[in-house]
Structure formats: C-alpha cells, structure tokens
Amino acid sequence: AAGVIQSPRHLIKEKRETATLKCYPIPRHDTVYWYQQGPGQDPQFLISFYEKMQSDKGSIPDRFSAQQFSDYHSELNMSSLELGDSALYFCASRPGAFLSGELFFGEGSRLTVL
Amino acid sequence: AQKITQTQPGMFVQEKEAVTLDCTYDTSDQSYGLFWYKQPSSGEMIFLIYQGSYDEQNATEGRYSLNFQKARKSANLVISASQLGDSAMYFCAMREGAPGYSTLTFGKGTMLLVSP
C-alpha cells in the first residue's frame, strides 16, 4: 500500500540558508500535518492543511511557511536556518473524515544545520 | 499542564516477558482519542493501537493491548511476549475533540529495551 512520501530524506544546510521539504500524502488523503522532532524530543506540531487551506497552526516559527497544492502534496519552506532547526521533520496525512483520527506518518526528513 | 504524561523515560524487559508502558492524559473534552506510536532507531513513526473515549472495551492489536482506565485518565500500553524487535521509543498521543481535523499531541516517550 502507498505510504506518505517525504523528500529529501536527509538534508544538510548551513546557517542562514533556506530549505524546502516536500510531502506526498497517501492517495485520497486530503489532510496533511507537519511535525518537528528535535533530538531526544517528542514530535511538536507545526502546521496542518485540509483541502489546500491551513486548518491549524502550532509552534511554527515565522521563518517557516508551508502550503498544500492542488494535488494535495505539501511543502515546508524554512528560511534563515538556525542550528536549533536541526531536527527530524515528519509529514503525516489522513482522510479528513477518518473515524479514529489516526495520522499516517512518513519516514521523516532529517535536517542538519551546520 | 502537560496533556500527555509518560513517566517512564526508559524500561528494560527480557525477551518473551510482558511489559506495561504508562500514559496518563489530561483533557476536558468528552470525545477524544488515544494512540500509541513506536519509533525505532531508524526514525519512522509506526502506529500501534487506538482507543476512543467512548469505546467500552480495551483495544487490542496482536501483541499490543491498551489498558484504558477512563476515570483515572490512563491509557497504558501492554506488550505481551516482548521481542528483540520491540526495542524502540514509544509515544503516547491524544487527539482532543471529535474525529475530524484536530491534530495529535504527543508525550515525551518511553525508551523500551528488550534484552535476550
């Protein structure tokens, strides 16, 4: 079965650079979530989209932006990168009306800022 | 206040033994959902089990069961017959409100190590 696809899987950037992470949800999933997991930390919710509109916002820095496109894929854009942005970034998806609310996670994109 | 509390930073268990990972939650919503996810060292988040607040029976999925005690606001994960491949970080998570578009809030996690 198709899963959530994230790219790139690994990314190394320098401070003050920009980075873009991509997420391709499971087919027919219209809701996408972005989470950030720092080293040894629990995943922290950043932002979510439903039907290409932002549906909820968590602890996303102003330097970050995200959007969901017409094909439901999503991109997380990160600018003026800081050392503290080094983390595993998860994208998760689910159908909007899913009974339990379970999120299906991708394998994550590991960002290292040097 | 923490919405999800996992008080065990680490747990050790021998292969084939059962282990219970603790999770307590805090919500004023009547409708909510509780989840357990497994995160091996490779990093991916693997869904294990779900319990809805209105479910009267404890959820079970193979070797995983969720000991749901609503009055105590606890949702402990029980792994029976531990296997070496169960060594991983385990996160308890909660969805508040009715199933819809609300996100999940995670606990700090419990690292489980299974020894031969």
Side-chain angles (χ1 to χ4, degrees):
Chain A
V4 176
I5 306 296
Q6 291 187 245
S7 69
R9 294 291 313 281
H10 300 273
L11 191 59
I12 300 175
K13 291 286 186 178
E14 299 208 346
K15 279 170 52 177
R16 292 180 286 279
E17 286 192 321
T18 61
T20 297
L21 305 181
K22 295 186 179 183
C23 168
Y24 297 86
I26 293 172
R28 292 181 294 282
H29 283 197
D30 51 15
T31 308
V32 167
Y33 300 79
W34 285 98
Y35 279 83
Q36 177 193 57
Q37 186 180 25
Q41 302 295 313
D42 52 302
Q44 294 291 317
F45 170 65
L46 294 178
I47 195 166
S48 63
F49 294 89
Y50 166 65
E51 281 292 344
K52 293 151 278 184
M53 300 286 289
Q54 181 182 308
S55 55
D56 202 359
K57 193 171 180 180
S59 51
I60 185 169
D62 292 341
R63 299 177 289 108
F64 292 11
S65 64
Q67 63 181 119
Q68 186 179 31
F69 294 85
S70 57
D71 63 351
Y72 295 104
H73 95 273
S74 178
E75 295 184 6
L76 177 66
N77 300 294
M78 300 174 283
S79 62
S80 302
L81 288 170
E82 301 173 358
L83 297 178
D85 296 330
S86 295
L88 188 57
Y89 290 82
F90 285 107
C91 172
S93 74
R94 72 168 187 223
F98 198 53
L99 191 61
S100 73
E102 171 200 343
L103 300 187
F104 296 82
F105 282 83
E107 294 186 323
S109 292
R110 190 171 295 281
L111 171 66
T112 302
V113 181
L114 302 176
Chain B
Q2 283 273 50
K3 288 185 179 288
I4 296 286
T5 302
Q6 294 180 254
T7 57
Q8 307 153 313
M11 289 284 284
F12 293 89
V13 68
Q14 278 203 306
E15 209 177 357
K16 298 187 181 64
E17 290 184 347
V19 63
T20 298
L21 306 183
D22 295 341
C23 172
T24 57
Y25 59 92
D26 182 25
T27 182
S28 54
D29 286 349
Q30 295 300 308
S31 176
Y32 53 89
L34 297 155
F35 304 77
W36 279 92
Y37 282 84
K38 172 184 176 181
Q39 187 176 41
S41 56
S42 51
E44 70 267 33
M45 295 287 280
I46 302 167
F47 167 74
L48 295 178
I49 197 166
Y50 162 77
Q51 179 87 38
S53 58
Y54 294 119
D55 295 340
E56 293 187 352
Q57 296 211 328
N58 286 342
T60 59
E61 289 285 348
R63 294 185 299 111
Y64 304 107
S65 60
L66 199 151
N67 184 0
F68 182 47
Q69 298 188 42
K70 198 168 182 177
R72 296 180 60 189
K73 293 192 173 179
S74 75
N76 299 338
L77 176 71
V78 181
I79 306 175
S80 63
S82 299
Q83 301 172 356
L84 296 179
D86 293 334
S87 292
M89 181 70 94
Y90 288 79
F91 289 99
C92 180
M94 176 172 64
R95 178 213 77 231
E96 293 184 274
Y101 314 111
S102 55
T103 188
L104 298 185
T105 302
F106 287 82
K108 297 294 183 187
T110 295
M111 175 65 76
L112 175 66
L113 290 177
V114 181
S115 61

